[in-house]
Structure formats: C-alpha cells, structure tokens
Amino acid sequence: MPAPPVPPSLQSNVNATKVEYVQLGSSGLRVSSPILGTMAIGSKAWQDWVMEENEGLEILKAAWDRGLSTWDTANVYSSGINEEIIGKAIRKFEIPRHKLTILAKCYGTVPEEPSIFNWPFEAQMRTSRDYINQGGLSRSAIFKAVDASLKRLDTDYIDLLQIHRYDASVPPEETMKALHDLVQAGKVHYIGASSMWTFQFARMQFIAEKNGWTKFVSMQNCYNLFYREEEREMNKFCDETGVGLIPWGPLASGLLAKPLGVESARSKISIAMSGGLTEADGVINKRCDEARPTCNRCQKANLICYGGGTIGKFVFLSENEYATGRRTRPRGPNVKTVSNATENTSKAKFSDPESNSRSQENALLDRKLPTGPQRLAVSSTLASPQEDQALAYYSRHHIDVPYGWPGIADRWDDHLKYALEEWSCSRHDSVLSLAILAVSLVTLGRARQDYAALAAGSRKYSKALTKTNMALTSVREASSDDVLLAVMLLSFYENAVMDKNSYVSSEDIEAIGSQSFAHHDGAIAMLKLRRQLNQRTDRSVELDKLVRRQLMRTLLLRSMSVPSWLRDGSQFGEHGLAFDLDCYMVRTAEIRHQASNLWADYAKLAISDRYNKLPRIRRLLADTQSLDTVLTIWADRLPTGFRYSTHPVQYNEYAWTNKRIFDDTVHIYPTVGHAGAWDRYRSIRLILNDLMLKNSSLLTQSSVSDTGPLEEATRSRIHCLLNDLCASVPYVFGLIESPSVTEDDVTVVIKVPATLKESCKASTASSLCWPLYEAIMISGISERHHRYLKERILDVSEIVDDGIMGRLVLDPSIYIPPPPMGIEEVRARLRTHFDVHTSQHPDRWAQLWTAGDFLPWDKGTPNPALIDLLDQRKDLIGDCFVEDAEGTGTKRRKRALVPGCGGGYDVLLLASYGYDAYGLEVSEKAIERCIEEQKANGDKYPVKDEAVGAGRCMFLKGDFFEDGWSKAIAAEGTFELIYDYTFLCALNPSMRPAWALRMSQLLSRKPPGHLICLEYPTYKESSTGGPPFGLTPQTYVEHLSHPGEEVPYDEAGQVEVRSQSQPSSGSLERIDHWQPERTHETGKGTDWMSVWRHR
C-alpha cells in the first residue's frame, strides 16, 4: 500500500524549517539544533555590543520563521530587559507558547539599573539591602528569580530552568529540593545546569537521585576549539549519565568566526575576559579561516559554505566520541612527534613505514613479568663472559635497593629495576637488551678502567640507538615498556661514558647534555602516547610513575613548565604522602618557570620600564611564600615513623672520613630511603626560598619595597635547609657506625670503609644526585656549604659512575645548556636583530651566520616534505633530465636552485636525486658551513638512483636579486627547479613584489620549470612582524600572479584577494597545493606545499 501524500500545509511547514531537532540527552525534551542564544538582545546601556529592542525582535522573528524554536535566555541579560523583549516577541508575532521552547537561568542578581553589568558586582549586591536574597541558589532566591522571569517573559512556565553557576554558600540539598518543588508546581518542566566543576555537578545529581528528586537533564558549559578542558571530565560524565550538552560560546564569542586581527566591540570584551589569547589559539583561528566545511545543517538549509572541496581540511566529528574515548583525538604527541624528537637527537634519518607484525615480539609485549627479588638472574643466552660480569656488577651496585625503602623516596635511576626485569624476558638483540648491556658495560669499564668493556658498550649503544629510532616509527613499539626503558637508559649511558679527568671541550659536554635532555623529551612524548592509548597494565603504570619522577626532576633543573597532562601525579600512580610531595614539586616547577621568564623579560627592560613588572614579582613572591609555608606544615605532620634524629659526631684519626662530616653533626633516619625523601623535600624548599630571595632582591633594587627583613629570614631558612642536607649525606654514604641510635644526645661513631663504593651502593647514592645538583645552584648558598656539596657531588659521581656530574663540578665554566628558547623568545630576538632598514637585512643575516650561536631556522636536515615530493610526485615535476637546448637530442641534468640555502641540506638532497643543484647564500660563513656539511656528512645523502647518478653540488655567494651569480652558471641564467624553503617569510613584506618578479625571471620557460614553495608560517598573524613574517597561501597566489607589482594589504597585514584581477605578464600559475604529511616540527599541521610554473 503506497504511503499517503503529505498534506500541503505540513509539507510547506517542513520546507520552511531550516534546522534539525534533537533529543536533549536522555530526556524526552526535543530542542532545535542550533539553539538561539539571545544574550546579544537587550539594551546597549548594559553592553555596547548588544542590539536594541527593534533589531532584536527582527532576529527573533527570523529565527521563528526558520524553525529555530529553542531560545536561551537568562534573568541577568541586560538586567532583565532581554526576557521582556522575548515576551514581546511572543505576543507581537503571535507565537503559540506551546510551540516555543524557552531556556532560562537563575543564580545571578538582576540589577535595578540596566547599565549595571552584574557579574563584577555580585559580592557587593549580596550585601546590599536592595538585593538581599535575590541572587544565588538559596530556596528564597530561586523562587524569586523564577517568578520574576515568568513575569518578564509573560508566560506560565519555563521549559528548561538552568542554574547559571554553582553556589558554594548554599547546601546543595536546599538547591535541588527547591528546583524539584518548582517542577512539581508546574512552573518549570526540566532543570539543567551551567559551568561548574564536574565534582560539583555530580554531587548535585547524586543528591537528587538519592532523594528521588528531579535531576538535571542538561549541562551548558563553555566548549569550543579554543577551550576544550571540558573533554577531560564534564563531557565524559554527561555522556555516561545521559545529560545533554548545550555548549555556550561555540564560536568563542565570535573569535572563531573571523581572523584574529579583525576586532569588534564584542571580541574586545571576549579577549579581555578570557585573559588573552595564546599562540595556539592563533594557529586554531588560522585553520578555521582556511577551512570552509559543508555540514549537514548547511545542506538542509540549501546553503553552500565558501571554499569547500579540496581546500577544506576541517572534519566535523561527534565530540562525544572523544569524550568517551571511542576515538583518539589527533592532537599532540603521536608517533611521528616522538620519532622526530629522537631523530633530531641522533641526526639519523629514518622513514616512517608501517611496523611489521612480529608474533614473537607481540608475545613478549603481552607477557606477564616476573615478580620478587630485584637481583638479576643472568640469562643463559648471553655468550660473552664480559657481558655476564657487566650485568652482575650493574645489578649488584645500581639495582639492589636496601630493605624498607619507602614509596615516597625516589632515586635518580629508580626505574632501572624494571629494566632488568623486562630484560630477563627479552631477546638478546632486542632494543632493551642492547640498551642495558650498553649501560652495564660502560659502568663496568669505568669502575675497572677496562677499555675493552667501554668499547663493547659503545657498540651496543650505537645498535640500541638505531633500534630505538626504528621502534619509534611504530605506535605499538613506541608505547611499549621496553622502548621507554631503552630511551631512559640511553641518557644514563651518555652520562656514564664521560671521564671527569679527561680533557673534553665544553662544546662536547654541552652536546652530550643536550642529547641526554633530548632523550628525556622523547620519554615525555612517549608517556603522553601511552596515556592516549590507555593500554597500560598495573606494572606499566608503576613504570610510568618512576619515569615521570625522573622527568619531573629534569624539568625542574631546566626551569621548564610541566605539561598539563603530566601534572596530576595520581594519574601515574602517586598516592598518599608521595602524592602530596609530588603536587608541591609540580607547583614549584611552575613557579620557577614563571620566575625564569619574568626575570629574563625584566633584565631586557630599561630601568624606567621595569615598574610595570613589579606587581607580577610581588604575586610570584606571595605564591612562593605560601607554598613554602604549606610544605613546612606538611613536614610537621609526617608520621612518627618518618622522623629523624640529630647527633654530634665522634671523629676518628682518618681525615678521609672526617672531611665528609659537616659542622660535627649527622642525621640518623629509619632507612636510607627516608633520608632520600627528606632531601627531596629540602630541595623543593631550597628552590622556593631561592626564588623568594631573588624576587625580594628585585623589589629592594626597585626602591619601592623594603624587603630587608624578608631577605634575612629567607637566608636563614636556606642556611638551615643546607645544614640538614649536609647532615644527611654521611648516613646515605653509610659512614655511621651506629645507625640504630634514636636519642639525640648520643654521640655517633664514624666508620672507616676502604672506599665509598664499599659503604654505599650506586642504588643508594643516586637519591642524592638531584638534591645536591639543586643545592649548588642556590644563589643564597654560603661558601662553606658550596664547597662541601661540590665535593660530595664528586663522591656521588664516582659511586654512580656519572662522568658528567663530576666534570661539571671540576670545571665551573662548563654547564649543561638550558632548554631551547621558546618560540616567542626566538621571534623577539629576531625582531630586535632585524629592527633596521631593509637594505641592511643581508648584513644582519650574515652577522647571525658569523656568530653561529643563534640559527633557529637551521634544522640540521632537509625538510621531509621535499623528500616526499621528490619520491612521490614525479608526475608533477618530472625527472631530473631535460633535452639539451641545442636540439641535438642529448639530455642534460636539470638545474636546481635553493635561495637562502642555509646549511646546504636541501642542495645536497637535490644533488643526490640527480639534479645539478646550486645553493645561494649572502654570507661567506654560511657557504663555509655548507661546504663543511658536504665534507662531513656527504655520505648521509646517498645517490637515490644509481642509473641516474648524482648531480653537481655547488654553493654560491651572492644577492638573490642581482644577476651576476646566475649568469655565471648558464648564459640564460634560469633554472628548471627552484625550491623556496622559508625564503619568502625571511624577507620584509616590502620585498615580496621583487621576490615574485625575480622568481619569474629565474624560472625556466622552455623547458618549463617548476617553483616549489614550502609555505610557512601560515599560522602566524601578519601583524606580529618578523622574521619569519606570517604568510597565507593567498599571499603566494597574489604576488606570483602579479610579479613585480604592488599587492594591496589590509590594516591587519593580510593580503587582499582581488577576484576580478587578471594575471600579469610573466605570472606563474599554481598547479598543485597540499598539506604535507611530513614536515619539520614547527610547521606540522600548518605548512603547505605549492608547485608553480609559467602560464
């Protein structure tokens, strides 16, 4: 039986409806999608970006006509005028009330004057006679607010009443009962909530469920591409419990709907209220500008979004899929990130193939690891007696932990016990076996001066490094325990291989230190990947905890910020007292990072400009004092079992042991592990007091504050903390004859071991590494403390076989370099350096090459995007040969040019693919650098095709905009291939017409040549200056379509698109444009590749 025809009136109504209707969570209420937010309708007296009544009524009528029948309001919008206008719209347009869904809110206090914006004055209004009991979520306030809204809306009921915020001053039981009674009375049909902490929302829901009251059916939280914190908990909780999400600010108050440089009254308020935008926000906004997706709603409304098709890279997906973990969000460390981090460290180049499935390795990954004693049982598969000895020595000295070691204590190499347990189940040639053999052999070689063992360890290290890089190209292997342990072990190897007494240049030590830090950075990326995959066993979580502790110490040493996902120690298995101390450590790292940046900015300012920084210094000082006080209270409340006692010392006749006692005093602890925990606590407090001392000193220098008493008290605390740290060392070293004494007045006797290694194992001494390192960095340290602690670092370096530690102490001029500059610091330095007339820029580039200590554009390798283009797109650019112009039928190699070739990496790459490649630089020093790269690393650029062979590779000094150098290469002075790797972004925007004209002149017309452009940085705002100067793909289009001509730009520095403009003579056309899968780290997700030819 055929379906009956749809009545004309119904069909007409369906056709007029331009929206969808969806279920709100698991409730029965259906709402339009999208929902109309009405905050912008009301009175300009409230906010000047708000539209007045007449314009607002037109918006409401247009929404109703198109089926957008769910309207969201709040009692405080325009101080109630917004609700009145909605009521007028219902009456004026004769909208049946039952066909409209109104979402209202309560919590805020409604001022009597429209000009008062309530939120900044809520506290004052609640203490005023005129506004008492009219704001908040008390029973009285809720009832009054609902009655007032019903009156303004001129309606009998509210479809969905939402509490605008959480009210901590009212018992949640009172709030939920009041809301339930409103539902029972028929004044409200459903209830919902808005922005609050997840635990607050969950608590209110559970109270309602427990008492049989009405529960919330919706959550209106802030959620957009700029702000995604709700994905952590709130979205997941709502999805699991059937609560509908109604995100407010989905376009970030309009900031996502236009370029950041375009301001409006609304956007100014939004930016101010959000505390400003970050660099990441700029990248996101830029990608929104470039993407114009066509979504289901546009199709339903017969609308077409501009720029769809191949240029649209945005994909709309269900956010609830991310919230419930059914999808993995494609942001932040993936395997390629980890691989590149390690790739940069080793300067090795690996492709990114799919990992091969090996059943044997799968079985190893899924194995159940042994438990029990940590002593290594040497594998029978080891054929080398030398390796047997090395493993036994390493296990005995570095792995075995004294009985009773508390969980709160941690050691420099605490995770190594897991390495040996994992190793016992691994193949002899696995990455973990190679790494642990490398460390074991070099440790044995150092201890016994066995050069054969050192050489064997070096060979194992090279193999381990290669296998680690290869493993990092696979998601499964990169997230395995074995590879994570191998990465950490490699950093230990590089520290152990150094002999503190041998001559090594400071550059070599800096390189080793940087490489060690790079391994730690790789481990951080791996930890994040393991969390994203969420496939960890209990044992893996324990390993992650121990590795994280090591990384936390490294981040503190480097004054770096702790990534947000790494901050919560409970996610990595920390609990109890250890979790408390971990929280304090994370907070200390954040304060130190902020202080480091602040001091750097402060030092660059003129004295007259420093006053503006003083409030931030005061806030940092207050935060530091507060945290130090909290730590003191925490220590005072530790259980009795954690206490230590202080004792005078009875010296012996051996100066060797006596000099290791500081001020005739030692501490006795329950175990060595407790000593380590206390020293960790002291180190954190030393850092905090050092920060206090430096900040208070700056305030004193500014002459606006007298911080003399504070500085004196801080120095006193530092002195006491250092005394306690020094008094703990003899106990850790095992020099105490009677470790069981508990009475404070008992004099302890000092032992006389033959060597420190006899009395103290590396597994014990490692607990001193980080505390001693941090202590000698304290600015308020006395000369006596400093000398004693430096000598003890030498002792520890011998015990734990760490050559770099000893070398740093012996040569104070050598230091491990700080972490690389942040991108903003790099840009600021470049802007300052090039703050001269454009004519002087070539000399400024040459100066940077001559100095050689600041070359942020030099990545050390060709860009992977160029490699992929040469490998995969011969259909686009052809091969490396071209028919000779004489018409003899013979072929010659194509000439390829790389202007601004930097270190010469791309030139060497092009030559290896068969091109006659020419690199052009303005600096003689840069040319020397290219030639050095060719001599030292030419073998890293093997011939791609033996049948084709390699082309010539030449480096030329010259000005890109002059002719002499090009005519010297060939009479016609043209090239069949030109590669612009960030050359354009290095030029001042005023040079872009000349750049386009020069490219047109240099690019061969016959045979047709190809210009390849790596478009970077497309995410950077043009108004922020440079170099590098922000570019968009359209910038290339406009200039290369009109070479030599001035192209118009708007006030924000963005090129103006001239859709009616015809290409000029000599113009180039773009024949392909895409985002490369691989590129350098700084351009991932934002770089574009384009290929051009003459029209």
Side-chain angles (χ1 to χ4, degrees):
M1 179 178 177
V6 178
S9 59
L10 176 57
Q11 187 62 57
S12 174
N13 186 277
V14 170
N15 293 339
T17 301
K18 304 301 182 181
V19 301
E20 298 174 321
Y21 298 98
V22 297
Q23 208 86 7
L24 186 59
S26 60
S27 74
L29 182 63
R30 293 177 63 80
V31 296
S32 63
S33 178
I35 293 171
L36 178 65
T38 65
M39 185 168 67
I41 298 173
S43 170
K44 289 187 178 297
W46 191 63
Q47 291 289 319
D48 59 3
W49 46 265
V50 173
M51 63 185 75
E52 294 285 352
E53 179 177 326
N54 290 339
E55 189 177 359
L57 288 172
E58 292 179 8
I59 293 291
L60 294 173
K61 179 62 165 63
W64 168 251
D65 290 342
R66 289 160 178 78
L68 210 167
S69 58
T70 306
W71 299 350
D72 179 84
T73 180
N75 57 347
V76 294
Y77 293 169
S78 293
S79 300
I81 294 175
N82 171 273
E83 289 182 325
E84 294 176 353
I85 293 175
I86 290 176
K88 289 180 181 179
I90 296 173
R91 296 191 301 273
K92 179 176 180 178
F93 305 125
E94 299 180 347
I95 300 174
R97 177 63 185 87
H98 66 277
K99 295 183 179 182
L100 196 65
T101 304
I102 295 178
L103 283 53
K105 302 183 190 77
C106 65
Y107 170 86
T109 307
V110 180
E112 294 178 353
E113 299 175 30
S115 60
I116 298 179
F117 186 62
N118 68 296
W119 295 118
F121 309 107
E122 281 290 335
Q124 292 87 341
M125 285 194 290
R126 294 188 187 185
T127 60
S128 165
R129 175 199 64 190
D130 293 336
Y131 297 105
I132 196 70
N133 290 326
Q134 294 184 43
L137 296 180
S138 68
R139 185 178 181 87
S140 175
I142 291 174
F143 282 12
K144 291 176 182 176
V146 169
D147 287 340
S149 289
L150 291 173
K151 182 178 180 180
R152 288 189 291 264
L153 290 165
D154 193 17
T155 184
D156 298 324
Y157 65 93
I158 295 169
D159 296 278
L160 175 66
L161 175 66
Q162 304 159 98
I163 57 171
H164 216 155
R165 292 295 183 270
Y166 182 85
D167 189 349
S169 67
V170 177
E173 290 84 356
E174 178 179 339
T175 299
M176 297 308 293
K177 183 61 166 67
L179 295 173
H180 174 69
D181 290 345
L182 286 170
V183 174
Q184 294 294 99
K187 293 184 177 182
V188 172
H189 290 175
Y190 295 90
I191 60 173
S194 189
S195 297
M196 63 181 67
W197 292 108
T198 307
F199 78 88
Q200 296 169 334
F201 182 64
R203 184 185 180 193
M204 300 183 86
Q205 288 285 70
F206 297 153
I207 287 172
E209 183 175 20
K210 174 184 175 183
N211 292 282
W213 298 335
T214 306
K215 294 170 63 176
F216 296 126
V217 301
S218 66
M219 162 52 64
Q220 186 170 150
N221 50 350
C222 181
Y223 184 44
N224 53 58
L225 286 175
F226 283 173
Y227 184 85
R228 298 170 62 174
E229 291 296 316
E230 299 299 289
E231 292 173 18
R232 297 182 187 278
E233 290 188 348
M234 183 62 82
N235 289 5
K236 295 178 181 179
F237 179 81
C238 291
D239 193 64
E240 289 293 327
T241 58
V243 175
L245 292 177
I246 310 176
W248 63 266
L251 292 178
S253 302
L255 294 174
L256 287 167
K258 55 181 175 290
L260 289 184
V262 180
E263 284 192 349
S264 65
R266 181 72 176 97
S267 65
K268 290 178 182 178
I269 295 293
S270 302
I271 294 173
M273 292 182 69
S274 65
L277 299 177
T278 66
E279 181 181 344
D281 294 335
V283 176
I284 292 168
N285 180 268
K286 180 72 70 177
R287 293 182 69 180
C288 290
D289 289 347
E290 296 171 355
R292 295 293 185 271
T294 301
C295 57
N296 290 339
R297 293 175 191 142
C298 290
Q299 293 172 352
K300 183 177 178 65
N302 296 320
L303 299 175
I304 298 178
C305 298
Y306 171 78
T310 58
I311 197 171
K313 293 293 182 180
F314 238 58
V315 180
F316 280 87
L317 299 172
S318 167
E319 290 298 337
N320 280 345
E321 290 183 303
Y322 292 116
T324 57
R326 292 195 292 270
R327 296 180 64 92
T328 302
R329 181 170 296 285
R331 66 183 287 186
N334 49 34
V335 173
K336 291 184 181 179
T337 305
V338 180
S339 178
N340 287 341
T342 312
E343 186 175 310
N344 292 337
T345 301
S346 62
K347 294 189 177 180
K349 290 180 286 187
F350 296 96
S351 61
D352 188 26
E354 290 294 322
S355 61
N356 295 322
S357 176
R358 296 188 294 256
S359 58
Q360 186 177 6
E361 291 187 3
N362 287 337
L364 289 173
L365 286 170
D366 296 334
R367 65 183 175 266
K368 192 170 184 179
L369 296 175
T371 57
Q374 307 302 327
R375 175 79 65 168
L376 172 67
V378 180
S379 170
S380 60
T381 62
L382 291 177
S384 167
Q386 183 186 59
E387 293 174 1
D388 289 347
Q389 294 175 23
L391 286 163
Y393 176 87
Y394 198 68
S395 173
R396 183 168 61 254
H397 289 277
H398 287 259
I399 306 300
D400 287 352
V401 180
Y403 174 78
W405 193 278
I408 191 176
D410 61 336
R411 305 176 296 128
W412 193 255
D413 52 358
D414 212 358
H415 52 282
L416 294 182
K417 61 182 180 181
Y418 285 86
L420 285 181
E421 292 181 10
E422 292 276 344
W423 170 87
S424 65
C425 298
S426 297
R427 296 197 323 271
H428 184 45
D429 62 343
S430 70
V431 63
L432 180 57
S433 290
L434 291 169
I436 201 165
L437 283 171
V439 176
S440 299
L441 285 164
V442 76
T443 302
L444 179 68
R446 277 181 55 87
R448 299 183 180 176
Q449 295 298 297
D450 185 342
Y451 295 101
L454 290 171
S458 177
R459 290 192 295 271
K460 296 292 183 184
Y461 168 78
S462 297
K463 292 181 180 179
L465 191 61
T466 300
K467 283 213 166 191
T468 300
N469 279 305
M470 295 178 69
L472 291 175
T473 62
S474 160
V475 173
R476 180 179 60 80
E477 292 189 37
S479 59
S480 71
D481 292 357
D482 288 20
V483 178
L484 176 60
L485 285 165
V487 169
M488 298 302 294
L489 283 165
L490 292 178
S491 67
F492 280 94
Y493 172 91
E494 286 143 5
N495 289 358
V497 75
M498 177 67 64
D499 182 357
K500 75 175 188 297
N501 295 313
S502 63
Y503 173 76
V504 181
S505 68
S506 60
E507 290 78 12
D508 288 340
I509 290 187
E510 290 178 12
I512 293 173
S514 295
Q515 193 169 23
S516 182
F517 281 160
H519 286 309
H520 293 163
D521 294 340
I524 287 177
M526 292 173 69
L527 275 186
K528 187 169 185 180
L529 175 64
R530 287 158 68 91
R531 284 204 63 197
Q532 287 175 335
L533 295 177
N534 196 27
Q535 297 173 352
R536 299 176 296 168
T537 63
D538 290 344
R539 196 166 190 79
S540 295
V541 172
E542 180 69 7
L543 172 61
D544 288 0
K545 177 182 74 174
L546 300 177
V547 171
R548 176 181 173 275
R549 288 185 178 182
Q550 166 67 23
L551 298 175
M552 284 297 304
R553 290 188 291 265
T554 304
L555 291 171
L556 257 172
L557 278 170
R558 299 165 71 185
S559 298
M560 293 179 69
S561 177
V562 181
S564 58
W565 61 269
L566 194 63
R567 292 174 187 167
D568 187 358
S570 66
Q571 298 295 318
F572 293 86
E574 299 285 8
H575 63 278
L577 295 174
F579 175 70
D580 294 340
L581 198 56
D582 180 82
C583 291
Y584 303 144
M585 196 170 184
V586 171
R587 181 61 184 136
T588 301
E590 291 303 304
I591 293 176
R592 184 182 241 185
H593 173 68
Q594 294 171 21
S596 178
N597 291 340
L598 177 58
W599 297 336
D601 293 342
Y602 188 86
K604 297 174 186 175
L605 295 175
I607 294 177
S608 59
D609 297 329
R610 292 179 176 179
Y611 181 82
N612 293 332
K613 295 288 183 182
L614 296 181
R616 285 187 61 193
I617 294 175
R618 290 193 188 94
R619 287 196 297 271
L620 265 180
L621 180 59
D623 290 346
T624 310
Q625 288 177 293
S626 175
L627 184 56
D628 186 64
T629 301
V630 170
L631 267 164
T632 305
I633 297 171
W634 176 84
D636 290 338
R637 294 176 178 175
L638 284 174
T640 305
F642 272 79
R643 301 295 173 185
Y644 61 89
S645 54
T646 305
H647 304 270
V649 171
Q650 178 182 325
Y651 285 102
N652 54 48
E653 66 273 25
Y654 296 95
W656 183 89
T657 55
N658 292 342
K659 73 175 185 178
R660 286 169 172 78
I661 310 300
F662 188 83
D663 270 0
D664 308 333
T665 303
V666 296
H667 288 168
I668 302 294
Y669 297 84
T671 70
V672 178
H674 289 84
W678 276 103
D679 287 342
R680 185 180 172 201
Y681 155 81
R682 291 169 187 135
S683 299
I684 297 173
R685 288 199 62 202
L686 280 169
I687 295 170
L688 292 171
N689 280 272
D690 185 51
L691 296 174
M692 275 189 258
L693 195 62
K694 291 176 180 176
N695 283 323
S696 58
S697 176
L698 289 178
L699 291 175
T700 298
Q701 293 172 19
S702 68
S703 303
V704 298
S705 301
D706 180 14
T707 58
L710 175 60
E711 289 185 46
E712 182 177 349
T714 304
R715 291 183 186 277
S716 177
R717 282 194 299 273
I718 290 175
H719 183 82
C720 293
L721 290 166
L722 289 170
N723 279 346
D724 288 340
L725 177 60
C726 294
S728 73
V729 173
Y731 183 83
V732 177
F733 278 178
L735 300 179
I736 307 302
E737 187 70 54
S738 309
S740 60
V741 296
T742 55
E743 297 82 11
D744 289 352
D745 58 346
V746 173
T747 300
V748 299
V749 178
I750 300 301
K751 291 195 298 186
V752 188
T755 64
L756 275 178
K757 280 198 171 184
E758 179 183 305
S759 64
C760 180
K761 293 181 178 180
S763 57
T764 301
S766 63
S767 67
L768 284 171
C769 291
W770 183 68
L772 296 183
Y773 255 140
E774 287 288 359
I776 63 170
M777 294 167 61
I778 300 302
S779 58
I781 190 172
S782 68
E783 177 59 30
R784 286 184 66 241
H785 284 119
H786 196 255
R787 184 172 59 252
Y788 175 86
L789 292 172
K790 286 180 66 174
E791 291 172 354
R792 301 296 73 77
I793 289 179
L794 281 173
D795 291 337
V796 173
S797 73
E798 282 302 303
I799 298 171
V800 302
D801 299 301
D802 189 315
I804 283 189
M805 187 186 298
R807 181 71 176 166
L808 292 175
V809 174
L810 287 175
D811 189 352
S813 66
I814 297 175
Y815 66 99
I816 293 178
M821 278 190 267
I823 190 168
E824 289 304 325
E825 189 176 355
V826 169
R827 289 176 177 173
R829 183 168 172 181
L830 284 171
R831 280 196 299 268
T832 302
H833 185 76
F834 286 94
D835 190 18
V836 294
H837 192 270
T838 304
S839 62
Q840 301 179 44
H841 281 196
D843 292 336
R844 288 302 176 104
W845 286 110
Q847 289 174 17
L848 290 177
W849 279 112
T850 301
D853 59 349
F854 180 65
L855 306 172
W857 62 87
D858 189 352
K859 306 303 181 184
T861 61
N863 193 296
L866 177 60
I867 297 174
D868 292 344
L869 171 64
L870 295 173
D871 282 337
Q872 303 167 14
R873 297 305 306 271
K874 284 189 177 180
D875 63 305
L876 192 64
I877 61 173
D879 59 26
C880 61
F881 287 102
V882 66
E883 189 171 331
D884 190 75
E886 301 292 331
T888 61
T890 60
K891 290 189 175 183
R892 65 170 175 83
R893 297 183 185 276
K894 289 181 178 178
R895 292 187 293 268
L897 172 68
V898 183
C901 64
Y905 316 112
D906 300 312
V907 184
L908 291 166
L909 178 75
L910 287 165
S912 74
Y913 276 77
Y915 292 86
D916 283 343
Y918 300 86
L920 181 67
E921 263 296 346
V922 73
S923 163
E924 191 69 49
K925 194 69 177 179
I927 298 298
E928 293 175 8
R929 177 78 170 264
C930 294
I931 296 172
E932 290 173 5
E933 173 69 14
Q934 185 178 16
K935 291 178 179 178
N937 298 312
D939 58 341
K940 291 184 178 179
Y941 303 86
V943 176
K944 181 65 176 178
D945 187 342
E946 291 294 343
V948 172
R952 287 182 297 173
C953 182
M954 294 184 62
F955 298 100
L956 309 170
K957 180 178 183 294
D959 188 333
F960 173 74
F961 297 98
E962 297 179 358
D963 280 329
W965 60 270
S966 60
K967 298 296 184 183
I969 296 173
E972 61 271 26
T974 60
F975 299 83
E976 286 76 36
L977 188 147
I978 303 177
Y979 176 49
D980 185 307
Y981 166 66
T982 70
F983 184 65
L984 178 58
C985 72
L987 298 174
N988 188 282
S990 64
M991 299 292 292
R992 291 173 183 174
W995 168 87
L997 178 62
R998 190 64 174 144
M999 285 296 185
S1000 175
Q1001 295 168 347
L1002 291 173
L1003 190 64
S1004 172
R1005 288 177 176 271
K1006 187 177 182 181
H1010 294 91
L1011 167 64
I1012 302 169
C1013 295
L1014 181 83
E1015 299 174 359
Y1016 167 89
T1018 62
Y1019 59 83
K1020 186 181 178 186
E1021 290 297 323
S1022 302
S1023 58
T1024 58
F1029 293 90
L1031 296 163
T1032 64
Q1034 198 61 38
T1035 305
Y1036 289 83
V1037 173
E1038 290 297 314
H1039 279 284
L1040 291 173
S1041 297
H1042 306 88
E1045 299 179 14
E1046 292 295 331
V1047 170
Y1049 285 78
D1050 60 23
E1051 294 181 357
Q1054 299 282 355
V1055 68
E1056 293 183 359
V1057 180
R1058 298 177 293 175
S1059 57
Q1060 303 301 321
S1061 177
Q1062 295 299 314
S1064 305
S1065 174
S1067 65
L1068 305 184
E1069 63 175 344
R1070 188 173 68 187
I1071 59 175
D1072 209 342
H1073 191 224
W1074 71 96
Q1075 277 197 289
E1077 291 185 6
R1078 298 194 306 152
T1079 186
H1080 284 317
E1081 193 67 32
T1082 53
K1084 280 191 172 180
T1086 59
D1087 279 358
W1088 287 80
M1089 290 287 282
S1090 56
V1091 179
W1092 307 76
R1093 68 185 177 195
H1094 279 287
R1095 294 181 185 272

